[in-house]
Amino acid sequence: MTKMPDNDTFVFEQPCPIRDVLDRIGDQWSLLIMETLAPGTLRFNALMREIGDISKQMLSRTLKQLEQDGFITRTLYPEVPLRVEYALTDLGHSFLEPMQQLITWAETHHRTIVIARERYQST
Amino acid sequence: MTKMPDNDTFVFEQPCPIRDVLDRIGDQWSLLIMETLAPGTLRFNALMREIGDISKQMLSRTLKQLEQDGFITRTLYPEVPLRVEYALTDLGHSFLEPMQQLITWAETHHRTIVIARERYQST
DNA sequence: CAGTATCCGCATCGATACTG
DNA sequence: CAGTATCGATGCGGATACTG
């Protein structure tokens, strides 16, 4: 991204906020999970059912990432059987706002892109 | 994404515009290339120099993808030596608008995220 | 100058068996 | 119910030699 200064002291510093955020939403599931949580709190298996084609593995991993970055909260109720609820934080909600702009753009221009691709094929 | 109907006839159809667009901007270079082209036309090697740490390979591949989707144009001037110029299309420019919202969000909240991560580590 | 072809390492993701 | 651990396939991305 931006040219880094030749200073290995800060190898673990994230120099580029955009990359850092894009890595998160660019992955397979993060955005979808956040959108799914947008209406309200959900439990682990409820999330799995809502999303439909995600594995336990990926749901678990992605949720942990999102929690770690402060996009969602994880609340454990030590009942029997266990209950764990996931919810968007304010940060998570605020993220979905600019994201919604992009989603709208995607929906609006998707056809144009698909057509461009087909045209390119036939060249 | 959205539950697909059980119809394998359309396996190559892109059911989800969001995924489709995100797959493109979620990759390592597409967005950076488009931002680099935003001010104006650039030649292949000029792009390499501007970006700095991209390989010929990836620049070539990504440019082709972007051209294919209609985000940029590629103009060949058959001089000696060869000259090829890349420029954003209207679609490309229009894409950068909602994207700018997201970039601003990322810049604004990046510190918050980094802090959240560190806090999580120490838990 | 502007690429393409080839090869390879590495991270990502999925399936599944197992655990508290 | 809510995960984690393990394994394996797949594909992205980098390095570099080669081409028109």
Side-chain angles (χ1 to χ4, degrees), chain A residues 20-69:
Chain A
D20 213 19
V21 170
L22 244 53
D23 283 350
R24 189 91 25 289
I25 65 146
D27 76 2
Q28 210 69 34
W29 301 113
S30 292
L31 178 62
L32 186 55
I33 288 174
M34 283 195 273
E35 293 285 359
T36 308
L37 283 176
T41 296
L42 283 176
R43 303 175 60 171
F44 188 87
N45 280 348
L47 264 168
M48 284 214 62
R49 276 190 302 277
E50 284 289 321
I51 295 176
D53 55 348
I54 191 173
S55 67
K56 280 167 161 270
Q57 172 73 277
M58 287 314 297
L59 181 57
S60 176
R61 280 187 200 172
T62 312
L63 284 171
K64 191 166 290 175
Q65 291 278 319
L66 291 173
E67 185 198 359
Q68 189 172 152
D69 285 5

Side-chain angles (χ1 to χ4, degrees), chain B residues 75-100:
Chain B
T75 314
L76 170 68
Y77 298 90
E79 310 165 348
V80 180
L82 227 58
R83 183 161 60 102
V84 179
E85 294 194 337
Y86 292 92
L88 281 184
T89 60
D90 288 346
L91 185 73
H93 278 291
S94 91
F95 169 77
L96 288 182
E97 291 173 24
M99 203 55 220
Q100 186 52 51

Side-chain angles (χ1 to χ4, degrees), chain B residues 23-72:
Chain B
D23 282 350
R24 190 99 317 136
I25 66 145
D27 74 3
Q28 208 69 34
W29 302 113
S30 292
L31 178 62
L32 186 54
I33 289 174
M34 283 195 274
E35 293 284 0
T36 308
L37 283 176
T41 296
L42 281 177
R43 303 175 59 172
F44 188 86
N45 280 348
L47 264 169
M48 284 215 64
R49 277 190 301 276
E50 284 290 320
I51 295 175
D53 55 349
I54 190 174
S55 66
K56 281 165 163 267
Q57 172 73 276
M58 287 314 296
L59 181 57
S60 176
R61 278 189 202 171
T62 312
L63 284 171
K64 192 167 290 177
Q65 291 277 319
L66 291 173
E67 187 198 357
Q68 191 172 149
D69 284 5
F71 286 102
I72 63 173

